[in-house]
Amino acid sequence: MFPGSDTGSLAGAPAATAVFTAVLTEGPVSRVNLARRLGLSSAAVTKAARPLIDLGYLHEMAATERSGPGAGRPASPLAVRPDREFFLGVKITADELIGVVCDLCAQVRATARRPLTDPDVEAVLTEIGRLTDDLLDAFGGDRSRVRRLGITLSGDVDRTTGLVRYSPFLHWRDVPLGRRAAQSTGFTVTVENDVKALTAAEHWFGEGVGAESFALVTVGTGIGCGLVVNGRLVSGSYGVAGEIGHLAVDATGPDCHCGGRGCVESIAGTDAIVAQVRARTGRPDLGMDEAVALARGGHDEVRAVFTRAGNAIGCGIAAVANLVGPTRIVVSGEGLAAYDLFDSHIRTSFERQAFGAAARCPLSIRPLPFEAWARGAAAVSIQSLVLP
């Protein structure tokens, strides 16, 4: 996180962080239930919540329940004030910026998009500035309550330093995006890998709320995976934990842009599928939509490309199930538009490669538009406020 006009997180003490996070992700919650869930005394919960109430981030709802049999007055649940603060989120793709304004509960209040024709860092920063202006105009609310900006993109990103080590689709290496975006926009900036950010949003505000472990696999231009283990998003020592797109599943497979060979992404990413279909059909100008149409039309050679892609993705997902053991796996990404072509192959490959009971891990399909990915960027900005 890089500070603009604001610094630091809201919750400093561990108890305050725990209380705020629980109310934000699972609230409204009574103090009694918070104490029980967090292993704190009721007095400790009250002490932790008081400054958050005083600052207007939490409030007490009308009494609705009693704390137990024979208890006295009903409990007054704690809840978040969503309008207390707002957050910008921007998802960078190879050819477009997608942005949202979210409230404190990650509900989208405004959206905007801008085309991206130049991947140069300066050009992207200029367009981010224009997009944030568009978002604030569309939002129409109190701009003084918008202090933080989350930015996400595909690639190797160090969230702690805001450094983009490598982004294959923008051809960036070692770009200090967090620092430069903070300087150019004046906002406090958090930069994160797009899949990890989407996973964080699903963990705190979506499919993964309350789950101690789950995985989010994305299928599209890249093949990504975000992991939550013991209730925490896993980045690993080098920030690339969960990169199933670069698991080698075919030692004789095609070269990958990462420098490896036979990676899942080199077989099943959108660009890889298109390249294989072009080679098999002799049509160098063919695109993904045409490849999908040919496969659905029964073209055997093209269908074989999607079969191979499904098998590779299934192997990657099985590796996640075997190594991490999530309670459920969510599959998303722009590649779901063609999911019918490799769904059965993904599931067959997954069940074949998953070990023992891991094969029973449910796979749920969750189509998400790019605005949801931008919401993920806002979600990591929310986390930067909440977490120390």
Side-chain angles (χ1 to χ4, degrees):
M1 180 182 71
F2 280 80
S5 58
D6 175 55
T7 59
S9 63
L10 179 65
T17 300
V19 167
F20 195 14
T21 303
V23 176
L24 181 62
T25 59
E26 301 180 47
V29 191
S30 70
R31 285 181 171 84
V32 171
N33 284 335
L34 279 170
R36 186 180 302 120
R37 292 184 193 188
L38 302 176
L40 299 171
S41 67
S42 294
V45 170
T46 297
K47 181 179 179 182
R50 176 48 55 192
L52 297 168
I53 294 172
D54 291 343
L55 289 169
Y57 287 91
L58 298 182
H59 70 103
E60 289 184 308
M61 299 180 67
T64 57
E65 63 180 32
R66 297 185 182 276
S67 57
R73 64 185 180 89
S76 298
L78 292 172
V80 170
R81 291 191 183 275
D83 293 346
R84 177 59 178 82
E85 191 155 346
F86 298 91
F87 304 81
L88 297 166
V90 173
K91 153 75 170 164
I92 305 175
T93 74
D95 56 10
E96 189 176 23
L97 300 179
I98 303 95
V100 298
V101 180
C102 288
D103 62 26
L104 187 53
C105 293
Q107 295 300 305
V108 176
R109 300 297 188 92
T111 65
R113 291 187 175 213
R114 291 192 71 88
L116 192 62
T117 57
D118 184 352
D120 179 74
V121 177
E122 286 296 336
V124 173
L125 287 169
T126 298
E127 289 303 321
I128 287 175
R130 290 171 178 164
L131 179 63
T132 59
D133 288 341
D134 293 344
L135 287 167
L136 292 172
D137 289 341
F139 169 53
D142 184 352
R143 292 192 179 202
S144 68
R145 296 190 179 186
V146 185
R147 301 178 298 160
R148 292 171 181 262
L149 166 64
I151 301 174
T152 65
L153 67 164
S154 174
D156 180 358
V157 178
D158 186 337
R159 177 170 169 175
T160 303
T161 64
L163 179 70
V164 179
R165 296 191 188 101
Y166 173 51
S167 182
F169 307 118
L170 293 171
H171 308 290
W172 287 359
R173 287 189 182 274
D174 297 325
V175 174
L177 185 61
R179 175 175 57 79
R180 296 186 64 176
Q183 290 171 343
S184 64
T185 65
F187 294 112
T188 296
V189 175
T190 304
V191 183
E192 179 60 286
N193 168 273
D194 54 358
V195 177
K196 287 185 172 63
L198 186 62
T199 305
E202 289 297 296
H203 183 215
W204 276 35
F205 304 107
E207 192 85 5
V209 170
E212 283 297 302
S213 66
F214 85 103
L216 175 74
V217 175
T218 57
V219 178
T221 304
I223 309 296
C225 178
L227 300 172
V228 172
V229 178
N230 294 328
R232 303 283 294 185
L233 183 68
V234 176
S235 294
S237 297
Y238 305 101
V240 294
E243 283 288 349
I244 68 167
H246 299 289
L247 284 175
V249 294
D250 183 353
T252 62
D255 292 336
C256 183
H257 63 79
C258 72
R261 185 173 186 180
C263 298
V264 174
E265 195 167 295
S266 72
I267 296 169
T270 300
D271 291 347
I273 289 174
V274 169
Q276 293 172 76
V277 171
R278 287 174 176 174
R280 295 192 181 206
T281 61
R283 295 175 54 184
D285 58 343
L286 179 145
M288 186 62 172
D289 289 345
E290 294 164 299
V292 170
L294 286 172
R296 287 176 177 158
H299 193 297
D300 288 341
E301 286 290 305
V302 177
R303 289 188 69 88
V305 172
F306 284 94
T307 297
R308 187 187 187 198
N311 288 334
I313 295 168
C315 284
I317 296 175
V320 172
N322 290 343
L323 290 170
V324 180
T327 55
R328 59 182 176 270
I329 298 173
V330 178
V331 182
S332 189
E334 72 272 21
L336 292 189
Y339 198 73
D340 58 296
L341 294 172
F342 41 54
D343 179 20
S344 63
H345 307 294
I346 288 175
R347 294 181 184 276
T348 298
S349 177
F350 169 75
E351 292 169 1
R352 182 177 62 246
Q353 295 297 130
F355 180 75
R360 298 203 298 268
C361 179
L363 304 182
S364 60
I365 310 306
R366 184 163 161 76
L368 294 168
F370 269 136
E371 281 74 14
W373 292 68
R375 177 176 177 259
V380 297
S381 187
I382 294 170
Q383 287 185 335
S384 73
L385 171 72
V386 176
L387 299 175

